[in-house]
Amino acid sequence: MERKIGTVSRGVRCPIIREGDDLAAIVSQSVLSAAEAEGFELRDRDVIAVTESIVARAQGNYASVDAIAADVKEKLGGETIGVMFPILSRNRFAICLKGIAKGAKKVVLMLSYPSDEVGNELVSIDKLDEAGINPYSDVLSLETYRKLFGENRHEFTGIDYVSYYGDLIRSCGAEVEIIFANHPKEILKYTKNVLTCDIHTRARTKRILKANGAERVCGLDDIMTASVDGSGYNEAFGLLGSNKSTEDMVKLFPRNCQPLVQDIQKQILQACGKHVEVMVYGDGAFKDPVGKIWELADPCVSPAYTPGLEGTPNELKLKYLADNDFAQLKGEELQKAIEAKIREKEDNLVGNMASQGTTPRRLTDLIGSLCDLTSGSGDKGTPIVLVQGYFDNFTN
């Protein structure tokens, strides 16, 4: 029978993961049990995706506020430090900020505006226009910000992050001064020791700071790169990609995930003879249309994946073929012509007009975004996602 379904994404339930669990075995068995219970079969090139959260949990990759404080103090001196361009998030940054504040006597907190790096808004661009403020050049004190814009609560959480971060720093025993600016070198008027907290622009920010006289420069990716008193760590990303675990602990981005994805792939092949692809995924790369928040707060969508997920899609645009190459055809004749065109397509369609609109993003970014939306971030209980038919096309 002709297949009528293309890509299918299934959230797969599994036991609650604890430190030390054999995650490869749990993931493999959970997928196989789901297939048996729901009456579907695994196929070659299916994708099994595992959320980074349970990988880090199985690894026991956690760091305490005190461990973060010790690392910050050692690397930045423990006196006045600039903390610049953090994202506005209780889950992603607040606990890190507690550790940072405990590792300093004074924090000069420099917030980007009108929004942070991922789109959380401190003030609307319309209000900036009304006030005659140029965010590219104007530096605002806390007093000026409040006088012009008052209190601005986050659209979704209801938190005034300016007050929240200021109070949090003071509660940890450090002084705080808050400014609003977008050029990295502005922080150097206050201190030469800087922790830059941006994610995807961090290399540029570090370069500018060092070129303009900073003495000590770290990014979040330079903090907790090695164990502190037995803590977890991430040698590649440090605190980037961390999440709140408790009020005094963060779960770090998982490390050394490649053996895990290869082990899952091997176990599925041994169990049912199917060669699946496997990946670990974090935040999907998508933007909320209402709050304008860009979801990608992790340093990458996928820290590990099997080789079959390397690369980008190589696809033709069906509507382009239907409206141009085969505009005179319809029905079965049109279908057969398009199928033939797909079978004959080149291995690299970059620049081909028939592929326009099929943006060649990385497979792991596309599939990771699909998985993040499927699994959700709440109580669905599906930290494993099975994607079937992703590599199919109109001819299958």
Side-chain angles (χ1 to χ4, degrees):
M1 180 183 293
E2 181 184 2
R3 282 171 54 188
K4 295 295 185 181
I5 301 294
T7 301
V8 175
S9 176
R10 290 184 171 91
V12 177
R13 292 176 178 168
C14 74
I16 302 298
I17 303 300
R18 294 298 189 188
E19 180 178 352
D21 284 349
D22 185 345
L23 191 57
I26 291 173
V27 170
S28 301
Q29 188 55 51
S30 295
V31 172
L32 293 169
S33 296
E36 181 179 1
E38 301 297 330
F40 62 85
E41 295 182 355
L42 295 181
R43 307 187 195 119
D44 289 328
R45 298 219 74 190
D46 285 353
V47 179
I48 296 173
V50 185
T51 181
E52 58 83 20
S53 178
I54 64 170
V55 180
R57 194 179 306 139
Q59 292 176 343
N61 204 20
Y62 295 84
S64 70
V65 164
D66 288 339
I68 295 170
D71 209 26
V72 168
K73 186 174 183 179
E74 178 184 351
K75 292 174 178 174
L76 290 164
E79 298 294 326
T80 298
I81 65 172
V83 176
M84 56 188 295
F85 300 159
I87 62 172
L88 308 176
S89 172
R90 293 168 295 175
N91 176 45
R92 287 292 191 170
F93 188 70
I95 309 305
C96 294
L97 183 57
K98 288 177 70 173
I100 294 164
K102 290 186 72 172
K105 291 182 179 179
K106 180 179 179 179
V107 171
V108 180
L109 181 64
M110 190 168 102
L111 301 173
S112 55
Y113 76 101
S115 62
D116 69 7
E117 181 183 0
V118 298
N120 294 294
E121 194 174 82
L122 283 172
V123 58
S124 73
I125 194 72
D126 292 325
K127 287 184 178 180
L128 290 184
D129 290 343
E130 291 171 7
I133 297 296
N134 183 348
Y136 298 103
S137 60
D138 294 342
V139 180
L140 308 179
S141 66
L142 177 59
E143 292 71 24
T144 300
Y145 170 82
R146 290 299 193 198
K147 181 179 179 181
L148 290 173
F149 308 118
E151 183 182 76
N152 290 275
R153 294 185 175 274
H154 192 281
E155 182 174 3
F156 295 147
T157 67
I159 299 294
D160 178 346
Y161 277 98
V162 177
S163 294
Y164 178 60
Y165 279 179
D167 292 343
L168 189 151
I169 292 168
R170 283 185 286 269
S171 74
C172 294
E175 296 179 49
V176 61
E177 183 173 358
I178 301 176
I179 62 173
F180 303 79
N182 288 308
H183 198 291
K185 67 181 182 181
E186 291 295 334
I187 197 72
L188 299 177
K189 297 175 181 177
Y190 301 83
T191 178
K192 303 297 183 183
N193 302 311
V194 184
L195 175 62
T196 181
C197 302
D198 45 345
I199 306 162
H200 306 289
T201 56
R202 63 188 185 275
R204 174 180 181 267
T205 302
K206 291 179 188 180
R207 172 174 54 79
I208 292 172
L209 290 169
K210 291 174 182 177
N212 283 275
E215 294 176 2
R216 285 184 269 199
V217 177
C218 290
L220 286 180
D221 56 331
D222 299 309
I223 306 298
M224 300 309 302
T225 54
S227 180
V228 176
D229 296 328
S231 72
Y233 64 95
N234 190 303
E235 62 269 48
F237 298 120
L239 283 175
L240 287 181
S242 63
N243 284 272
K244 176 180 179 179
S245 175
T246 70
E247 293 301 326
D248 295 299
M249 189 82 67
V250 294
K251 177 190 62 59
L252 301 172
F253 211 50
R255 62 180 187 269
N256 191 28
C257 304
Q258 199 60 37
L260 172 69
V261 298
Q262 292 172 339
D263 194 3
I264 295 170
Q265 184 182 58
K266 179 181 177 181
Q267 290 194 32
I268 294 296
L269 182 63
Q270 291 174 340
C272 62
K274 301 301 180 182
H275 182 89
V276 300
E277 305 297 343
V278 185
M279 65 183 288
V280 175
Y281 69 96
D283 274 347
F286 55 86
K287 187 173 183 177
D288 181 80
V290 176
K292 306 299 186 288
I293 299 169
W294 184 38
E295 185 69 12
L296 187 56
D298 285 328
C300 61
V301 173
S302 178
Y305 48 88
T306 49
L309 295 177
E310 187 66 56
T312 61
N314 190 55
E315 300 174 343
L316 295 169
K317 196 80 168 180
L318 295 191
K319 65 182 182 182
Y320 180 89
L321 295 176
D323 292 345
N324 291 273
D325 295 39
F326 308 119
Q328 76 284 7
L329 304 180
K330 60 181 180 180
E332 185 177 349
E333 189 178 9
L334 173 61
Q335 179 171 330
K336 289 182 177 179
I338 289 180
E339 288 178 351
K341 191 76 170 180
I342 292 172
R343 293 190 181 98
E344 297 165 2
K345 68 182 177 182
E346 303 169 6
D347 291 335
N348 187 348
L349 293 169
V350 174
N352 188 317
M353 287 297 289
S355 69
Q356 64 180 341
T358 59
T359 308
R361 290 168 289 199
R362 294 187 301 180
L363 288 167
T364 51
D365 292 342
L366 291 164
I367 298 171
S369 297
L370 171 62
C371 293
D372 191 23
L373 287 167
T374 300
S375 62
S377 58
D379 57 7
K380 294 184 184 301
T382 55
I384 305 164
V385 176
L386 174 67
V387 180
Q388 296 189 290
Y390 191 84
F391 295 101
D392 289 356
N393 60 41
F394 192 58
T395 68
N396 297 114

